[in-house]
Amino acid sequence: MNDLLRTRLFHELDSIRLIDPHTHIEPHAAASKTLADILGYHYYTELIHSAGMPREEIEEAGLDPKEKVRRLVERIDPLRNTFQYAWLMELARTLFDFPADEELTNGNWEALYDSSARRMAEPGWEQRVLEAAKLDAVFLTNQFDDPLEGFDTTRYVPCLRTDDLVFHLANAEVRQRLERSTNSEVSDAASLRTAVGKLFERFTSKGARACAISLPPDFSPVLSPIGPKRSEFREIANKVDSALAVMQRGLESGDTTEQHVYDGYPRVISHFVFSLLVEFCAEFRLPFDLMIGVNRNVYENGVHQGQDLYDSRVSLIQYRDLFNFYPDVTFPISVLASVTNQELVSYAWIFPNVVANGHWWYSHTPSFIERDASARLEAVPQTKQIGYYSDVYKLEFAVPKWAMYKRILAKILAEQFVVDRGWSEERAVELGRMVLRGNVERIFGAG
Amino acid sequence: MNDLLRTRLFHELDSIRLIDPHTHIEPHAAASKTLADILGYHYYTELIHSAGMPREEIEEAGLDPKEKVRRLVERIDPLRNTFQYAWLMELARTLFDFPADEELTNGNWEALYDSSARRMAEPGWEQRVLEAAKLDAVFLTNQFDDPLEGFDTTRYVPCLRTDDLVFHLANAEVRQRLERSTNSEVSDAASLRTAVGKLFERFTSKGARACAISLPPDFSPVLSPIGPKRSEFREIANKVDSALAVMQRGLESGDTTEQHVYDGYPRVISHFVFSLLVEFCAEFRLPFDLMIGVNRNVYENGVHQGQDLYDSRVSLIQYRDLFNFYPDVTFPISVLASVTNQELVSYAWIFPNVVANGHWWYSHTPSFIERDASARLEAVPQTKQIGYYSDVYKLEFAVPKWAMYKRILAKILAEQFVVDRGWSEERAVELGRMVLRGNVERIFGAG
Amino acid sequence: MNDLLRTRLFHELDSIRLIDPHTHIEPHAAASKTLADILGYHYYTELIHSAGMPREEIEEAGLDPKEKVRRLVERIDPLRNTFQYAWLMELARTLFDFPADEELTNGNWEALYDSSARRMAEPGWEQRVLEAAKLDAVFLTNQFDDPLEGFDTTRYVPCLRTDDLVFHLANAEVRQRLERSTNSEVSDAASLRTAVGKLFERFTSKGARACAISLPPDFSPVLSPIGPKRSEFREIANKVDSALAVMQRGLESGDTTEQHVYDGYPRVISHFVFSLLVEFCAEFRLPFDLMIGVNRNVYENGVHQGQDLYDSRVSLIQYRDLFNFYPDVTFPISVLASVTNQELVSYAWIFPNVVANGHWWYSHTPSFIERDASARLEAVPQTKQIGYYSDVYKLEFAVPKWAMYKRILAKILAEQFVVDRGWSEERAVELGRMVLRGNVERIFGAG
């Protein structure tokens, strides 16, 4: 009986039009061209590498797309139990009519490669995928110097990604990108602030709906420009001035490595820039997506985008001052490790400006999503949780990923709301609609 | 089939008379007077504030109770998914005949307000609520200077709450309360010890059944009076003497703030007083409830009792010495974050004096309770776990909160004991009876 | 329906012949002689002690086995809810025809004691237990100076346990055991390296299949002999030389305690020896089982093997360098706390040389196994997870412990693969076969 109930709820949820509030879609090439774009997703390359395929064979320079797919399929056996492989099969069956009773093998990959390439080359493929995924709009992840031109920003919604600004401004190339993209010189705290302000102006004028950053587990904002210690601003600005001056000298002397200035200065600048971002989020009324907990480049010889891991020992208490000092900034928060989800539930339950946001990366597997979403749905106000974002690099993946989430959501609503709490199915679907779509509209002012 | 089994087990469990081993009931006003007492529970005010209602509108001075309820109901929509709202509905339906098919709305709250106020004003209301909750007795949370007079201490069982003594003795007002309530001067380690001893004498003479404290995540007892380092007592007492002398001078000079003496002295005194409490728990044979993991005042502008959060990075290894040095003191332990529950299971499995106690605060939501209770029921001796306490401020909430726990317990017993392990239903109910009632009686000497 | 499906899958899984990749079996006395060997398992003595029985009564010197069992059964009531007690009952029913409707009581233990003792004394008992457990081979835990003689090493497979070498070489007795067992003098870094190399030679010549160690939560390898900082080897060797020299002087002067040299030297040696082990694992192509997270002797007055606990605040990021520097060594990893399981899943998903291994000790309870195994089965390549090891001290326990795991595995495969993902039952059983047996063969080169 519960199985039928789950199915009914899933079909209702599955009829809802969606806005995907976080992806890595490239708007000029949103859909895939060949199966190599699909199997090149880091979820496959990293798992196939982890299961034994040398990185060099996967990432060989100039490798023909078809040959790449041939190689990956040849080594895909160890992945057949994973949910990532399940996405691949659902994608192939839904979008490319891959037979329901077949697995992807050495014997049939080429037929799929060729037939899918033909489909992808048809006019309107991108639109067909958006329809299959029921997506009205898709949020992007734009580098700060992205020109944001040549695409429909109501369909592909700009978001200002700020990792480089906060963590890599000590790198001369990043400073130069900032200067060029804002047409200004960045030499001290004041000019840095001006430049960042220009970014916000440009992004919001292009319809940006969020500022976003991923943060390492040991990051704890030291808020300088405003907050209760406003009197200390001059002192901090002086430190920032010195830090930037040292960087500049490094640049002029030709030594542009981060190491040259790595004696505390980058940290000073990181915290200063982070503070600027929050300040401008308040001024421009942009939500600030915090994606908390990633350590970059842990596996140094991993494949592209398959090198990052984490330390699950992180706490939202590190963001206590941030949440207190900026009551007017909304912080949609994603956590990397499921253990932090309970803190996210509790902080969203207490702080008006904290919103629980999706299921990120290593917590983006069915058993963790079910566990984490259950805890949110029973304790966080229904208006303060964004159920899901797909995080995809190519549109096609939105189809199986959203479907996975909707099945889990249907299961939770069936078991914990309809059965355990006696809710009507209609009411359960309404809750689903709010976390799937309504909150994305209201929190980000989208749609 | 499992649904019917769960229902049968629930009904058996629901017939058991209970003792609630931890509440914040005020014995002179145990039941509510109006719906404002119900909706004023911090679980509602903090969630409604988190969902957007300004604190000032909730906590306006001199606000009429009826107007307060009107305002809160007007903003209650975002909470309808939460288990806290589910408590409210179950309470209203069970105690006030609120219609089963209605939600609390702008259109019907006033009728409920008026009809419930009439019921609450009837003679015997308190007794009727106790009957509805099937409660024989209720443990209190008494400040150390509570006179403990004017109520039936077999029904409302005193417990000595000690947060102020351990963490706020640097505050002159707290010291004065201690001096007044013990009719003694507190000027050095020896007189402090005498005063604390008098508290234990008074509380136990009034039938107190537990000493209790909530502790921040970074607390790790430094045990001074006894334990293997007894020889160091003189040295520690000297430090305490100095600390108290400094505080006293602060008091005389008119500077009574904690800041004045905040140079390590409060920490010395915290650990000393904590040690005294343990020592007297041993002497007076009182269990010492430890509620581990709360950070106070994290959200500075939150509503009353809606400001506390936590850092889930805490370990029971911090209490290693305590458990080793005091084998004769029973420590019923509550943990704030579910991640710590596994440690609690393991420490209760190994240490004879560690008992798992209820599901505290942010872990007091159905999915965490189910997960944490399952882990305890399968691995901690059945005699060493106290299933539940309600933590309520008003008696009415005992009805839906205990019912929630009994439903979860019935689900675990049905699925994991009757189905998975082939237990008889009778045997499952006996296990339920032990964690619901029997262990409260035996561990606290109550009932 | 799901219940029948679970049962069918269980029966398929239960027909698979097994290799147990981690136990503490003593190959010269693999099976039990009396019920005292069974009830003497630390899982029972520690729980019965925790539930109130004084250690002295359990561990009285020279206690008659029958009297020991009488005493333990007399106090076994508090354990009847635990999964450990469930093992005992399944063992008694499966191996000794204990009636299915009886519990172990004061009234029937003696009959079971006598009848089981007769069975155990029959010729071929060990073989019958191996058949009942369906075990083809069993991995051992051998101290480094174990002669590894007098038993069939294809049935009882040696594994080199290295805790003493890494953590207790400051203890003169351990150094003497090393010198004796390798017939060499250990006086400096070079001779220590030679001695450890001899251990690997001897163990691998006897068919050893793994090196293994348990590690405290605060351990983070500092890799000295090789890795990117190879140039520093001389410096580290000098430190090791000094450390060993100091130890040697302690030995000669008669002061052989660890305290004498506890000024950093043992730490230097721990990291050095750990590095040597990894280096030799690479050279001899042995997997290195890391069992991460145990604090020894936390409960000082606990029963034998019932004194260890943990701090769940540990991260695999502590092993980052190890995984990067030794790509050719396979690390089957067990974690003590379930919270670390998500990191284990993620690290096994990214690092080719990390394998998830079984469910250790305090995470070896049904609800944690189900949760942790689910997360692995959906996200770690199927070739990189060893489903289970029994960790038993006596063969009889392999029967109920493996059965427990197979039931949980059948439940996960039924619910999450057959029902949720539409897998055929045959395919689900094949996945089960791989994690139960196939991976043990391939990863350890066993069977």
Side-chain angles (χ1 to χ4, degrees):
Chain A
M1 192 204 74
N2 285 6
D3 288 352
L4 290 176
L5 171 61
R6 279 169 63 176
T7 304
R8 278 200 307 276
L9 291 176
F10 171 75
H11 284 302
E12 289 297 322
L13 297 175
D14 197 37
S15 71
I16 297 169
R17 301 287 307 179
L18 303 166
I19 296 171
D20 195 326
H22 177 67
T23 76
H24 295 266
I25 292 291
E26 161 53 59
H28 303 290
S32 301
K33 297 264 184 292
T34 72
L35 215 53
D37 290 337
I38 305 287
L39 271 167
Y41 195 13
H42 70 84
Y43 277 104
Y44 302 103
T45 54
E46 71 201 13
L47 278 168
I48 289 174
H49 172 58
S50 171
M53 188 172 179
R55 183 177 64 161
E56 299 70 34
E57 295 181 25
I58 299 169
E59 300 188 337
E60 190 183 316
L63 189 61
D64 174 73
K66 196 162 182 175
E67 168 62 10
K68 182 171 188 172
V69 172
R70 190 197 62 74
R71 289 184 186 177
L72 291 169
V73 171
E74 196 168 52
R75 304 290 286 257
I76 212 167
D77 239 13
L79 276 62
R80 293 200 201 278
N81 60 306
T82 64
F83 66 96
Q84 293 99 328
Y85 178 82
W87 292 342
L88 182 65
M89 289 297 92
E90 181 160 6
L91 185 164
R93 285 163 188 151
T94 306
L95 296 176
F96 304 120
D97 300 318
F98 191 75
D101 59 347
E102 286 187 24
E103 300 300 318
L104 190 63
T105 66
N106 293 336
N108 63 18
W109 73 268
E110 193 165 7
L112 178 63
Y113 187 96
D114 294 338
S115 68
S116 65
R118 279 193 300 275
R119 300 266 186 104
M120 293 171 186
E122 289 171 7
W125 175 249
E126 177 180 334
Q127 185 58 38
R128 282 179 56 196
V129 178
L130 285 166
E131 283 309 306
K134 300 176 178 93
L135 284 171
D136 286 340
V138 167
F139 283 32
L140 307 177
T141 293
N142 304 96
Q143 293 307 313
F144 65 84
D145 54 348
D146 188 318
L148 306 177
E149 282 173 2
F151 59 90
D152 175 358
T153 58
T154 60
R155 167 172 289 183
Y156 294 114
V157 182
C159 296
L160 173 59
R161 184 68 174 238
T162 56
D163 299 45
D164 279 355
L165 288 172
V166 170
F167 295 111
H168 300 295
L169 209 62
N171 183 319
E173 192 194 321
V174 175
R175 286 203 306 287
Q176 289 164 349
R177 285 170 50 206
L178 177 59
E179 294 187 330
R180 264 185 268 117
S181 63
T182 58
N183 200 20
S184 61
E185 200 188 8
V186 173
S187 57
D188 57 13
S191 58
L192 178 53
R193 183 177 191 154
T194 302
V196 173
K198 286 185 182 178
L199 296 178
F200 274 76
E201 274 168 30
R202 186 162 60 80
F203 267 76
T204 52
S205 76
K206 298 281 190 178
R209 290 291 175 226
C211 180
I213 191 168
S214 73
L215 299 158
D218 63 354
F219 187 78
S220 184
V222 177
L223 300 163
S224 39
I226 68 170
K229 298 182 178 165
R230 194 189 276 268
S231 60
E232 296 170 12
F233 176 58
R234 189 70 319 252
E235 190 187 336
I236 285 150
N238 287 342
K239 278 190 200 164
V240 172
D241 290 351
S242 306
L244 285 167
V246 167
M247 284 180 195
Q248 195 58 24
R249 281 199 301 279
L251 181 61
E252 283 161 8
S253 70
D255 179 356
T256 60
T257 61
E258 293 193 25
Q259 280 66 29
H260 177 72
V261 291
Y262 203 83
D263 55 304
Y265 287 129
R267 230 182 85 87
V268 165
I269 295 180
S270 285
H271 288 289
F272 180 73
V273 175
F274 187 85
S275 300
L276 289 179
L277 295 175
V278 190
E279 202 181 335
F280 284 117
C281 280
E283 183 178 331
F284 287 85
R285 312 197 69 73
L286 272 194
F288 195 176
D289 291 346
L290 306 183
M291 310 181 85
I292 294 173
V294 64
N295 285 122
R296 299 288 177 185
N297 305 316
V298 172
Y299 174 35
E300 297 160 8
N301 293 313
V303 298
H304 180 59
Q305 293 174 328
Q307 304 173 356
D308 306 333
L309 280 157
Y310 57 98
D311 180 337
S312 59
R313 296 168 302 183
V314 58
S315 173
L316 296 187
I317 200 84
Q318 299 166 210
Y319 294 85
R320 165 188 190 151
D321 286 351
L322 181 68
F323 303 150
N324 274 299
F325 297 168
Y326 293 91
D328 295 332
V329 178
T330 299
F331 297 101
I333 290 178
S334 299
V335 293
L336 194 49
S338 176
V339 61
T340 321
N341 185 66
Q342 190 181 12
E343 285 195 16
L344 181 52
V345 167
S346 305
Y347 281 69
W349 151 354
I350 292 297
F351 276 103
N353 53 346
V354 172
V355 167
N357 188 18
H359 301 273
W360 191 32
W361 207 340
Y362 294 109
S363 284
H364 193 159
T365 86
S367 70
F368 291 118
I369 293 175
E370 181 174 342
R371 194 184 306 174
D372 294 348
S374 293
R376 295 179 194 177
L377 287 166
E378 73 189 12
V380 175
Q382 58 186 337
T383 50
K384 298 189 68 200
Q385 36 189 319
I386 296 161
Y388 191 72
Y389 52 79
S390 72
D391 219 354
V392 296
Y393 286 75
K394 288 292 175 187
L395 283 181
E396 286 82 358
F397 278 108
V399 174
K401 293 181 91 170
W402 277 95
M404 173 188 69
Y405 178 70
K406 287 182 276 194
R407 282 190 199 100
I408 295 168
L409 182 58
K411 180 168 191 275
I412 296 169
L413 292 173
E415 294 175 354
Q416 287 160 42
F417 288 82
V418 177
V419 173
D420 286 357
R421 286 168 61 173
W423 279 31
S424 71
E425 295 185 32
E426 292 70 29
R427 191 175 167 195
V429 170
E430 280 316 298
L431 174 56
R433 188 184 308 278
M434 185 169 287
V435 303
L436 280 169
R437 164 94 191 209
N439 291 339
V440 178
E441 292 188 14
R442 208 189 53 262
I443 290 166
F444 294 106
Chain B
M1 191 205 75
N2 285 6
D3 288 352
L4 290 176
L5 172 61
R6 278 168 65 177
T7 304
R8 278 200 307 277
L9 291 177
F10 171 74
H11 284 302
E12 288 297 321
L13 297 175
D14 196 38
S15 71
I16 298 169
R17 301 288 308 180
L18 303 167
I19 296 171
D20 195 326
H22 177 66
T23 78
H24 294 266
I25 292 291
E26 161 53 60
H28 303 291
S32 300
K33 298 265 184 290
T34 73
L35 215 52
D37 290 338
I38 304 286
L39 270 166
Y41 195 15
H42 69 85
Y43 277 104
Y44 302 103
T45 55
E46 71 201 13
L47 278 169
I48 289 174
H49 171 59
S50 171
M53 187 172 180
R55 183 177 63 162
E56 299 70 34
E57 295 181 25
I58 299 170
E59 299 188 338
E60 190 183 317
L63 189 61
D64 174 72
K66 198 163 181 175
E67 167 62 11
K68 182 170 187 170
V69 171
R70 189 196 64 74
R71 289 184 186 178
L72 291 169
V73 171
E74 197 168 51
R75 304 290 287 257
I76 211 166
D77 240 12
L79 276 62
R80 293 201 201 276
N81 60 306
T82 64
F83 66 96
Q84 294 98 329
Y85 178 82
W87 293 341
L88 181 65
M89 288 297 91
E90 181 160 6
L91 184 165
R93 286 165 187 149
T94 306
L95 295 176
F96 305 121
D97 299 318
F98 190 75
D101 59 348
E102 286 187 26
E103 298 301 317
L104 190 63
T105 66
N106 294 335
N108 63 18
W109 72 268
E110 194 166 8
L112 178 64
Y113 188 95
D114 294 339
S115 68
S116 65
R118 280 194 299 275
R119 298 266 187 106
M120 294 172 186
E122 288 171 7
W125 174 250
E126 177 180 334
Q127 184 58 38
R128 281 178 55 195
V129 179
L130 286 166
E131 283 309 306
K134 301 177 177 90
L135 285 171
D136 286 340
V138 167
F139 283 33
L140 308 177
T141 292
N142 304 95
Q143 294 306 313
F144 65 83
D145 54 348
D146 187 318
L148 305 178
E149 282 173 3
F151 60 89
D152 175 357
T153 58
T154 60
R155 168 173 290 184
Y156 294 115
V157 182
C159 295
L160 174 59
R161 183 69 174 237
T162 56
D163 299 45
D164 279 355
L165 287 172
V166 170
F167 294 110
H168 301 295
L169 209 62
N171 183 318
E173 190 194 321
V174 174
R175 287 203 305 286
Q176 289 164 350
R177 284 169 52 205
L178 177 59
E179 294 186 332
R180 263 187 268 117
S181 64
T182 58
N183 201 18
S184 61
E185 200 188 10
V186 173
S187 57
D188 57 12
S191 58
L192 179 54
R193 183 177 191 154
T194 303
V196 172
K198 285 185 181 177
L199 297 179
F200 274 77
E201 274 169 30
R202 187 162 59 79
F203 267 77
T204 52
S205 76
K206 298 282 189 178
R209 290 291 175 226
C211 181
I213 190 167
S214 73
L215 298 158
D218 63 354
F219 187 78
S220 185
V222 178
L223 301 163
S224 38
I226 68 171
K229 297 178 181 171
R230 195 189 275 269
S231 60
E232 295 169 13
F233 176 58
R234 190 70 318 257
E235 190 186 339
I236 285 150
N238 287 342
K239 279 190 199 164
V240 172
D241 291 352
S242 305
L244 286 167
V246 167
M247 285 178 193
Q248 194 59 23
R249 280 198 303 280
L251 180 62
E252 283 161 8
S253 71
D255 179 357
T256 59
T257 61
E258 293 195 26
Q259 280 66 29
H260 177 71
V261 291
Y262 203 83
D263 55 303
Y265 286 130
R267 230 183 85 85
V268 166
I269 294 179
S270 284
H271 288 290
F272 181 72
V273 176
F274 187 84
S275 300
L276 289 179
L277 295 174
V278 190
E279 201 181 338
F280 284 117
C281 280
E283 184 178 331
F284 286 86
R285 311 198 70 72
L286 272 194
F288 195 176
D289 291 347
L290 307 182
M291 309 180 86
I292 294 175
V294 63
N295 284 123
R296 300 289 178 185
N297 306 315
V298 171
Y299 174 35
E300 296 159 9
N301 293 313
V303 299
H304 180 59
Q305 291 173 332
Q307 305 173 355
D308 305 333
L309 281 157
Y310 57 98
D311 180 336
S312 59
R313 296 169 302 184
V314 58
S315 173
L316 295 187
I317 200 85
Q318 300 166 211
Y319 295 85
R320 168 188 188 148
D321 285 352
L322 181 68
F323 303 150
N324 275 299
F325 298 168
Y326 292 91
D328 294 332
V329 177
T330 299
F331 297 101
I333 290 179
S334 299
V335 293
L336 194 49
S338 175
V339 61
T340 322
N341 185 66
Q342 190 181 11
E343 284 196 17
L344 180 52
V345 167
S346 306
Y347 281 68
W349 150 354
I350 291 296
F351 276 103
N353 52 345
V354 172
V355 167
N357 188 18
H359 301 273
W360 192 33
W361 207 338
Y362 294 108
S363 285
H364 192 161
T365 86
S367 70
F368 292 117
I369 293 175
E370 181 174 340
R371 195 184 305 176
D372 295 348
S374 292
R376 294 179 194 176
L377 287 166
E378 73 190 13
V380 175
Q382 57 186 336
T383 49
K384 298 190 68 199
Q385 37 188 322
I386 296 162
Y388 192 72
Y389 53 79
S390 72
D391 220 354
V392 297
Y393 287 74
K394 289 291 175 188
L395 283 182
E396 286 82 359
F397 278 108
V399 173
K401 293 182 90 170
W402 276 96
M404 172 187 71
Y405 177 70
K406 286 182 277 195
R407 282 190 199 100
I408 296 169
L409 182 58
K411 181 168 190 276
I412 296 170
L413 292 173
E415 293 176 355
Q416 287 160 42
F417 288 82
V418 177
V419 173
D420 285 358
R421 285 168 61 172
W423 279 30
S424 70
E425 295 184 34
E426 293 69 31
R427 191 176 166 194
V429 171
E430 279 317 297
L431 175 55
R433 187 185 308 278
M434 186 169 286
V435 303
L436 281 168
R437 164 97 191 206
N439 291 340
V440 177
E441 293 189 12
R442 208 190 52 260
I443 290 166
F444 294 107
Chain C
M1 192 205 75
N2 285 6
D3 287 353
L4 290 176
L5 173 60
R6 279 168 64 176
T7 304
R8 278 200 307 276
L9 291 176
F10 172 74
H11 284 302
E12 288 297 321
L13 298 175
D14 197 38
S15 71
I16 297 168
R17 300 289 306 181
L18 303 166
I19 297 171
D20 195 326
H22 177 67
T23 76
H24 294 266
I25 291 292
E26 161 53 60
H28 302 291
S32 301
K33 297 265 185 290
T34 72
L35 215 52
D37 290 336
I38 303 286
L39 272 166
Y41 195 14
H42 70 85
Y43 277 103
Y44 302 102
T45 54
E46 70 201 12
L47 278 168
I48 289 174
H49 172 58
S50 171
M53 188 171 179
R55 182 176 65 160
E56 300 70 34
E57 294 181 26
I58 298 169
E59 299 188 336
E60 190 183 316
L63 188 61
D64 175 74
K66 197 163 183 176
E67 167 62 10
K68 182 171 188 171
V69 171
R70 190 196 63 74
R71 288 183 186 180
L72 290 169
V73 171
E74 196 168 52
R75 305 291 286 258
I76 211 166
D77 239 13
L79 276 61
R80 292 200 201 277
N81 60 306
T82 64
F83 66 95
Q84 294 97 328
Y85 177 82
W87 293 342
L88 181 65
M89 288 297 90
E90 181 160 4
L91 185 163
R93 285 163 189 150
T94 307
L95 296 176
F96 303 121
D97 299 317
F98 191 74
D101 59 347
E102 286 187 27
E103 300 300 318
L104 190 62
T105 66
N106 294 335
N108 62 18
W109 72 268
E110 193 165 6
L112 179 63
Y113 188 97
D114 294 339
S115 70
S116 65
R118 277 194 300 275
R119 299 266 186 105
M120 293 171 186
E122 287 170 8
W125 174 249
E126 177 181 333
Q127 186 57 38
R128 281 178 57 196
V129 178
L130 286 166
E131 283 309 306
K134 298 171 180 98
L135 285 171
D136 285 341
V138 167
F139 283 33
L140 308 177
T141 293
N142 304 95
Q143 294 307 312
F144 66 83
D145 54 347
D146 187 318
L148 306 177
E149 282 173 4
F151 59 90
D152 175 357
T153 58
T154 59
R155 166 172 289 184
Y156 295 114
V157 181
C159 295
L160 173 58
R161 182 70 174 238
T162 57
D163 299 44
D164 279 354
L165 287 172
V166 170
F167 295 109
H168 301 295
L169 209 62
N171 183 317
E173 191 194 323
V174 174
R175 287 202 306 287
Q176 289 164 350
R177 284 169 50 206
L178 177 60
E179 294 187 331
R180 262 185 270 117
S181 63
T182 58
N183 200 19
S184 61
E185 199 188 8
V186 174
S187 56
D188 56 14
S191 58
L192 179 52
R193 183 176 190 154
T194 303
V196 173
K198 285 185 181 176
L199 296 178
F200 274 77
E201 274 168 33
R202 187 162 59 80
F203 267 77
T204 52
S205 77
K206 298 281 189 177
R209 289 291 176 225
C211 181
I213 190 168
S214 73
L215 299 158
D218 64 355
F219 187 78
S220 184
V222 178
L223 300 164
S224 39
I226 69 171
K229 297 180 180 168
R230 193 190 277 268
S231 60
E232 296 169 11
F233 175 59
R234 188 72 318 256
E235 191 187 337
I236 285 151
N238 286 343
K239 279 192 199 162
V240 172
D241 291 352
S242 303
L244 286 167
V246 167
M247 286 179 193
Q248 193 60 24
R249 281 198 302 279
L251 180 63
E252 283 162 6
S253 70
D255 179 356
T256 61
T257 62
E258 293 194 27
Q259 279 66 31
H260 177 71
V261 290
Y262 203 83
D263 55 304
Y265 286 131
R267 231 182 84 86
V268 166
I269 295 178
S270 285
H271 289 290
F272 180 73
V273 175
F274 187 85
S275 301
L276 289 179
L277 295 175
V278 190
E279 201 181 339
F280 284 117
C281 281
E283 183 178 332
F284 286 85
R285 312 198 69 73
L286 272 193
F288 195 176
D289 291 347
L290 306 183
M291 310 181 85
I292 294 174
V294 64
N295 285 122
R296 300 288 178 184
N297 306 315
V298 171
Y299 174 36
E300 297 160 9
N301 293 314
V303 298
H304 180 59
Q305 291 173 332
Q307 305 174 357
D308 304 333
L309 280 156
Y310 57 98
D311 180 336
S312 59
R313 297 169 301 184
V314 58
S315 172
L316 296 187
I317 200 85
Q318 299 165 210
Y319 294 84
R320 167 188 189 149
D321 286 351
L322 181 68
F323 302 150
N324 275 299
F325 298 168
Y326 292 91
D328 294 333
V329 177
T330 299
F331 297 101
I333 290 179
S334 298
V335 293
L336 194 49
S338 176
V339 62
T340 321
N341 185 65
Q342 190 181 12
E343 285 195 17
L344 180 53
V345 166
S346 306
Y347 280 68
W349 150 354
I350 292 296
F351 276 103
N353 53 345
V354 172
V355 168
N357 188 17
H359 301 273
W360 192 33
W361 208 337
Y362 294 109
S363 284
H364 192 158
T365 86
S367 68
F368 291 117
I369 293 175
E370 183 175 341
R371 194 184 305 175
D372 294 347
S374 292
R376 295 179 194 175
L377 287 166
E378 73 190 11
V380 175
Q382 58 186 337
T383 49
K384 298 188 68 198
Q385 37 188 321
I386 296 161
Y388 191 74
Y389 52 79
S390 72
D391 220 354
V392 297
Y393 286 73
K394 289 292 175 186
L395 283 181
E396 286 82 359
F397 278 107
V399 173
K401 292 182 90 170
W402 276 95
M404 173 187 70
Y405 177 71
K406 286 182 277 193
R407 282 189 199 101
I408 295 169
L409 182 59
K411 181 169 190 277
I412 296 170
L413 292 173
E415 293 176 354
Q416 287 160 42
F417 288 81
V418 177
V419 173
D420 286 357
R421 286 171 58 175
W423 279 30
S424 70
E425 296 185 33
E426 292 68 31
R427 193 175 166 196
V429 171
E430 279 318 298
L431 175 55
R433 188 186 308 278
M434 186 171 287
V435 303
L436 280 169
R437 164 93 191 210
N439 291 340
V440 177
E441 292 189 13
R442 208 190 53 262
I443 291 166
F444 295 107

